[in-house]
Amino acid sequence: MLGYGGWKILGGVPLDDLRALAIWMTAAVVIHDGLVAPALLGAGWLLGRVPPRPRRFAQAGLVVGGMLVVVAAPLIYRQGSQTSSKALLLRDYTANLGLLLVAVALVSVGGYLWSLLRSRPGPVASDVSPGPALR
């Protein structure tokens, strides 16, 4: 299947598009190996120093926030590049991404605070037995 795909690309795609594809694939490897992977390693190292209870909420927030950035980055990059008849790229994706990241942070912090409240010990029962029942 790889050979068939390569044959179709080499045989049916113009040379300029092949150059653009090669540049895009090279840039993807450079960005991943030079930026994304070291950033994730650093974030993992920093999160390893956080106590276990808040760590899980920070990890969840970072994973969701990272996925949002991956989805929004191409839209932000291409924003305003098309005519108004294609209204998809006319929105303010930078502001929307900011709002979503703030919401993710608030939910993560709220989840951590909720877990703290739920783990608090309840009221301590008194050792004094109640007096005789009044009739």
Side-chain angles (χ1 to χ4, degrees):
M1 295 195 64
L2 182 64
Y4 177 74
W7 176 68
K8 291 298 271 184
I9 287 176
L10 292 176
V13 176
L15 186 60
D16 289 338
D17 290 343
L18 284 177
R19 283 189 193 119
L21 177 64
I23 290 170
W24 183 87
M25 291 176 72
T26 304
V29 170
V30 169
I31 289 171
H32 176 269
D33 292 350
L35 296 174
V36 175
L40 289 176
L41 285 172
W45 180 77
L46 287 173
L47 281 174
R49 299 187 173 334
V50 175
R53 179 180 284 177
R55 182 185 317 145
R56 64 182 170 176
F57 294 100
Q59 285 172 334
L62 287 172
V63 167
V64 172
M67 288 188 292
L68 288 172
V69 169
V70 165
V71 169
L75 296 171
I76 291 171
Y77 176 73
R78 301 263 332 247
Q79 191 169 357
S81 65
Q82 295 181 348
T83 62
S84 61
S85 63
K86 296 181 179 181
L88 182 65
L89 293 175
L90 295 179
R91 297 184 180 147
D92 189 2
Y93 288 105
T94 306
N96 292 341
L97 176 62
L99 289 173
L100 284 173
L101 291 176
V102 167
V104 167
L106 290 174
V107 168
S108 297
V109 170
Y112 172 64
L113 294 175
W114 180 255
S115 76
L116 285 178
L117 287 174
R118 288 184 45 113
S119 67
R120 281 189 2 199
V124 178
S126 173
D127 288 340
V128 178
S129 60
L134 298 176
R135 293 183 192 201

